[in-house]
Structures are given as C-alpha cells and as structure tokens.
Amino acid sequence: MSSQHSRTRLATIAGIALTTALALTACGSDEESDNQGDNQSAAIPDVEISYEISEETEEVSIDGELNSDQPAAWVISEGDGEPITEDDLLEVHSANIDIENQEVLSHDFDLGGMTISMADLQAGNPQTYEAFLDAPIGSDVAIYQPENGIYDGAPAVLNIATVAQVLPTHATGEPVAQSELSNVLPEVTLDEETHAPSIATPEGEAPDELVVDVLKQGDGREVQPDSKVTIHYRGVSWSNGEEFDSSWGPDNTGSPISFDLQSLIVGWQEGLAGQQVGSQVLLSVPPELGYGGQDHELAEETLVFVIDIVHSADPMPAE
C-alpha cells in the first residue's frame, strides 16, 4: 500500500477515527453515557503490538486477540522525556490501524501530527487521559475503541499515538527589532506572567491594505495555505481599540485553538501562510479581507490581530 493511498484513506474513511478516538470517549445511549462505568478502561488487552511507522515505512504486527467490547488505552513503549502533566498541550503523532489485516491505514507522523490538550482529554476521553498522564514524553500509546464505540455502526478502531513533545502555549520566537517593524501598527505589550498580548488603541487612519508585522520570529514548521494551525490570538477594532474576540479570554487564562487556515478570513490566510511556528504576528486587516460584504457587525471595520503560532500541521495529500 503506498503512503499516498493510506493518507487519502485517512482523510476519507479514517479521519474521524484518528481525531475522535483521541478526543472523545466511546459513544452510546444517553443512559450509557451517564453510567460512570462507561468511562473506565477495560483491562489492558493481552496483545503485543510492534510497529515501524515513518514517511518511508508502514508496518504493524498485533500478536493476540484485540476484541474487547470496552475502550482501552495503554502505554506500549515508554519514552525518555519528562512526565506528562495534567496541564500540558501535546503534539501527538498518530496512526490508524486496520486490526483485522494488521495494516497501517494512515498516519500523520511526517505531517506535523495534531495538538491535544490534556484538559480536553480529561473531559472527553478518560481512558487516553489516564494513559498519557505521567507517561514520559516520547511514549507510544495504544488507543482502542470497540465496534460502535465512536459512532453507531463504526468498526473497531486501533490508534497508535506517539507523544512527540509538550508545546508552549505562546510564541517563543526571537523578538524582532523595532526598526524592522511597521510604524503604522499599534504597540503590543506582553503580560510577564501569562505572555498574553495587549494591543494599544490604534492611532491615525487605518491602512487600506493588509499589513503584516512579525513581532517574534519562530523557527518551526512553515504554515502552508491549507495547514491546520493551533494559535493564540487577540483582536481589536481599529476605530476604537475595543477587543471583539480573543482565545486568551478576559483573564488571560484561555487556551490555544486549532483551525483549518482556509476556513478563516482572507486576511488571516494571507497573513499567516509562510510564517513559522513560534512566531508572533501582528495583522491589520482591511474590511475586504475581513468581514466586508457580509452581514456582520464588523463588516466595515479594519481589524487588528496579534497571533501566536503554536503549531502547524501539513494537509493530507489529495488522491
């Protein structure tokens, strides 16, 4: 099976499995969902799983029967990093396995993986949360969902997830010299404790075109036009400096959020494509690249955003 074919299958028939098996607990009736027992892992299956997964190699072997009717997650290989904590934001690389044929259907090991918050796991998938918690960074975890576990009629699913690293929740790139920045955009200051940015009230006439300032220069993966990005952001209106949206929240305790870049306003698509993970970017977005022409309260506003790029994953190749 070629790698391209397997990745295409991920995008079509297995994409839900990869993300949902990690992010959600097994589904069932409302009565079952309220049952605390449904949130408990089955005993660790008596199986041996060996594998080699990379851009060049897709091999897996399952020695034993994997047919439990309960979800389960367990460490199959320990890493050598620091223990995972309950507050961590993780970069996880995952592979979707055909249990019956012992084949790698698809994987994102060479595409940047995905970001997973331990807090979200605790709320949505207690089995995987418990397997990850205190495991060393670099560990490999098997995540099993039985038939009908993700949705009614779903086949049994096995994911192999590698916890690649703990991600910072703010831009960690090198500050760019003031002399290299635009003199028309408002000043950004950072909270010393949370690293949350604040945007000064803009002054003067709003720029007619998109203006992009890189405030911190990261050195990570380059954002592609159709990447999935994980970011922290704050946005204010140029006309009055009032905040209209923020992942940081009013008390700066929010968490980064993941988006498909192509689903965002054109100003973000043009301003973030080509930037590197770890960068902090300041954008001034004119109405036509924002919400202009839409039935939106900000349709006539020039918008100012400060965006911390935490992670970027390359898109799945088309068939």
Side-chain angles (χ1 to χ4, degrees), residues 237-256:
S237 298
W238 186 285
S239 63
N240 55 23
E242 291 186 2
E243 181 178 305
F244 58 85
D245 195 12
S246 172
S247 59
W248 292 95
D251 55 359
N252 293 335
T253 60
S255 300

Side-chain angles (χ1 to χ4, degrees), residues 206-211 265 267 270 283-292 298-304:
D208 293 329
E209 299 180 349
L210 177 70
V211 180
I265 60 173
E270 295 184 0
L283 304 178
S284 175
V285 180
E288 60 270 22
L289 300 181
Y291 298 104
L298 298 172
E300 297 182 3
E301 282 281 358
T302 293
L303 309 175
V304 181

Side-chain angles (χ1 to χ4, degrees), residues 8-318:
T8 301
R9 293 188 67 182
L10 171 62
T12 54
I13 63 176
I16 294 176
L18 250 175
T19 302
T20 310
L22 285 167
L24 300 175
T25 190
C27 299
S29 67
D30 291 340
E31 180 179 350
E32 291 172 338
S33 298
D34 292 337
N35 188 330
Q36 182 65 26
D38 283 349
N39 285 338
Q40 304 302 315
S41 292
I44 296 175
D46 185 18
V47 297
E48 292 288 337
I49 301 174
S50 59
Y51 56 92
E52 184 175 353
I53 303 172
S54 66
E55 186 174 6
E56 295 80 19
T57 305
E58 298 177 358
E59 297 177 359
V60 64
S61 174
I62 304 171
D63 184 10
E65 294 295 322
L66 192 56
N67 54 11
S68 172
D69 62 358
Q70 294 295 318
W74 66 102
V75 175
I76 54 178
S77 176
E78 283 200 351
D80 57 6
E82 293 295 317
I84 297 168
T85 74
E86 62 185 6
D87 299 321
D88 284 340
L89 176 67
L90 306 174
E91 178 182 313
V92 176
H93 300 172
S94 186
N96 187 52
I97 308 302
D98 182 326
I99 298 173
E100 182 177 355
N101 296 316
Q102 299 193 23
E103 294 180 346
V104 178
L105 291 176
S106 49
H107 70 87
D108 59 7
F109 278 57
D110 55 325
L111 301 176
M114 68 181 78
T115 56
I116 296 177
S117 161
M118 284 292 285
D120 288 343
L121 272 184
Q122 185 176 26
N125 188 330
Q127 296 85 23
T128 304
Y129 173 82
E130 291 296 333
F132 280 6
L133 186 63
D134 295 327
I137 298 298
S139 295
D140 298 334
V141 175
I143 302 167
Y144 171 76
Q145 289 282 359
E147 289 185 2
N148 304 311
I150 297 176
Y151 57 87
D152 190 30
V157 170
L158 174 65
N159 289 151
I160 296 173
T162 296
V163 184
Q165 62 176 322
V166 173
L167 295 170
T169 56
H170 63 277
T172 57
E174 289 295 319
V176 174
Q178 185 67 36
S179 60
E180 298 182 29
L181 304 180
S182 164
N183 60 6
V184 301
L185 299 187
E187 181 182 4
V188 172
T189 56
L190 302 180
D191 184 286
E192 291 185 1
E193 181 176 350
T194 66
H195 304 279
S198 297
I199 305 173
T201 300
E203 298 179 354
E205 292 294 323
D208 293 329
E209 299 180 349
L210 177 70
V211 180
V212 181
D213 263 356
V214 178
L215 305 181
K216 293 183 181 181
Q217 180 59 60
D219 59 4
R221 181 183 290 269
E222 184 175 301
V223 176
Q224 303 300 313
D226 46 1
S227 289
K228 183 167 189 173
V229 293
T230 301
I231 58 175
H232 240 336
Y233 69 95
R234 176 158 274 147
V236 303
S237 298
W238 186 285
S239 63
N240 55 23
E242 291 186 2
E243 181 178 305
F244 58 85
D245 195 12
S246 172
S247 59
W248 292 95
D251 55 359
N252 293 335
T253 60
S255 300
I257 302 176
S258 296
F259 298 98
D260 290 322
L261 187 56
Q262 288 188 332
S263 71
L264 305 175
I265 60 173
V266 175
W268 278 38
Q269 294 180 43
E270 295 184 0
L272 295 185
Q275 305 292 351
Q276 290 180 271
V277 170
S279 296
Q280 184 178 71
V281 182
L282 181 63
L283 304 178
S284 175
V285 180
E288 60 270 22
L289 300 181
Y291 298 104
Q294 302 180 35
D295 183 16
H296 195 287
E297 61 182 356
L298 298 172
E300 297 182 3
E301 282 281 358
T302 293
L303 309 175
V304 181
F305 297 95
V306 58
I307 303 167
D308 288 24
I309 306 173
V310 174
H311 182 264
S312 179
D314 292 348
M316 293 292 175

